[in-house]
Amino acid sequence: MTSNNKTNRTVGKNMDRIMELLSKLRFYGMLETYRNDCRTTSSDGMTNDEFLKWLLESEYDYRRNVSIERLIRSANFRYKAYMEKIDYTIKRNLDRNQIERLASLDFIKDGQNIFITGSSGTGKSYIASAIGYEACKNGIRTLYSNASKLMGQLKMAKNKGTIEAEMKKIEKCSLLILDDLFLIGLDARERSILMEIIEDRHGLKSIIITSQLPVESWYDAIGDPTVADAILDRIVHTAHKIELTGDSVRKINAKKK
């Protein structure tokens, strides 16, 4: 009995020390798995190699999930949107095959763009955000922004002399989502800022643009023929186009209730 008590105390001390070291080393995934295993018999029958692999996989999954959560927070999405929740039953000219190909994110590897156009409520922002969420889940740094708000923020930054720092934040993102671009016509400073964003990303990093205006109307919306030529020439030729039609999804869903 005394021998068993000593053995139990030794085992308990070893467990406590292992958990203490895992915590100090910030191996939180391994710590949680090991702590749970101490309360159960999950690892019974595992070899040493299998047990170590199990702990390491727990740590890998933990760190990956933390990284994804961080990317989603920093992306600043307006909506929680998921590829699997996109509704293809609504008639709005949405091609499931095209969306699923885009969900592979090859367009980002190739530095290509996506244009999503259609009237208000047809689901442009949701689809753009769903692709953005998918990018974050795959470790791709993404930034979502309402285009008008972003332009306003960047104009203020230019006045304060902090525009370079703000532009670098945008440049670091492999995917930029500009939501509702051209909802309001661009002024001269906004044209200049948009041109700089496009130039920095051309052929290197991707942009998803949503707009109520069809692509053929963007030239006039930019407002300056020279700048319009320069901007559109850099983004149109490498763009996948999604042209949504039909009634507002919000209106359709409201009728169902």
Side-chain angles (χ1 to χ4, degrees):
M1 183 68 73
T2 303
S3 176
N4 286 339
N5 287 339
K6 285 183 179 179
T7 301
N8 290 337
R9 283 198 297 272
T10 301
V11 170
K13 285 181 181 178
N14 287 340
M15 288 177 173
D16 290 342
R17 181 58 175 160
I18 289 170
M19 287 190 280
E20 179 187 357
L21 290 171
L22 289 174
S23 180
K24 286 182 176 179
L25 290 168
R26 298 183 180 179
F27 292 162
Y28 299 125
M30 294 176 71
L31 173 61
E32 186 62 23
T33 297
Y34 183 75
R35 181 185 286 125
N36 289 336
D37 185 61
C38 290
R39 300 173 187 146
T40 65
T41 57
S42 301
S43 64
D44 283 6
M46 287 186 184
T47 65
N48 290 339
D49 288 345
E50 288 171 339
F51 184 61
L52 179 59
K53 181 171 82 72
W54 183 43
L55 290 178
L56 290 171
E57 285 175 342
S58 298
E59 184 62 27
Y60 175 83
D61 290 341
Y62 172 82
R63 294 192 182 196
R64 183 175 181 273
N65 289 335
V66 168
S67 176
I68 289 171
E69 288 172 7
R70 188 183 300 116
L71 286 170
I72 290 173
R73 283 197 304 273
S74 65
N76 199 31
F77 292 110
R78 183 179 176 187
Y79 310 97
K80 285 186 177 180
Y82 308 99
M83 299 301 301
E84 58 272 18
K85 290 191 176 180
I86 293 176
D87 191 343
Y88 295 98
T89 64
I90 298 172
K91 292 182 180 179
R92 47 176 170 163
N93 194 39
L94 187 60
D95 184 344
R96 185 170 196 152
N97 289 329
Q98 181 187 25
I99 297 298
E100 290 182 353
R101 284 195 298 271
L102 294 174
S104 73
L105 307 176
D106 286 341
F107 77 96
I108 298 176
K109 298 174 191 173
D110 297 333
Q112 297 173 345
N113 307 307
I114 300 176
F115 299 160
I116 308 175
T117 59
S119 58
S120 178
T122 49
K124 302 182 298 296
S125 300
Y126 190 93
I127 294 167
S129 296
I131 296 171
Y133 263 88
E134 194 69 19
C136 290
K137 284 162 59 180
N138 283 272
I140 297 171
R141 186 176 291 186
T142 300
L143 177 64
Y144 167 94
S145 186
N146 174 274
S148 296
K149 288 182 180 178
L150 180 63
M151 291 301 161
Q153 291 165 2
L154 292 176
K155 284 196 293 185
M156 288 178 61
K158 200 160 192 174
N159 292 337
K160 294 177 181 177
T162 59
I163 185 71
E164 286 188 21
E166 294 301 320
M167 294 296 279
K168 282 180 180 177
K169 290 179 186 177
I170 296 172
E171 190 177 347
K172 285 179 181 177
C173 296
S174 296
L175 176 62
L176 171 65
I177 301 173
L178 291 177
D179 199 13
D180 260 339
L181 188 61
F182 307 125
L183 187 61
I184 301 172
L186 303 181
D187 61 29
R189 285 192 298 169
E190 289 168 342
R191 284 193 291 270
S192 174
I193 289 168
L194 181 60
M195 182 67 225
E196 189 174 345
I197 291 172
I198 299 298
E199 180 62 31
D200 287 343
R201 307 185 71 79
H202 176 51
L204 301 172
K205 297 176 181 179
S206 299
I207 306 175
I208 298 178
I209 294 174
T210 78
S211 180
Q212 291 189 36
L213 294 179
V215 176
E216 55 268 23
S217 298
W218 291 4
Y219 187 92
D220 291 334
I222 292 170
D224 180 290
T226 304
V227 178
D229 280 334
I231 288 175
L232 296 178
D233 184 61
R234 285 165 173 77
I235 60 175
V236 170
H237 306 300
T238 58
H240 302 268
K241 298 185 179 79
I242 301 170
E243 299 175 355
L244 300 178
T245 59
D247 291 333
S248 165
V249 174
R250 288 187 288 268
K251 182 179 176 183
I252 293 170
N253 288 336
K255 286 181 179 178
K256 291 180 181 178
K257 293 179 180 179

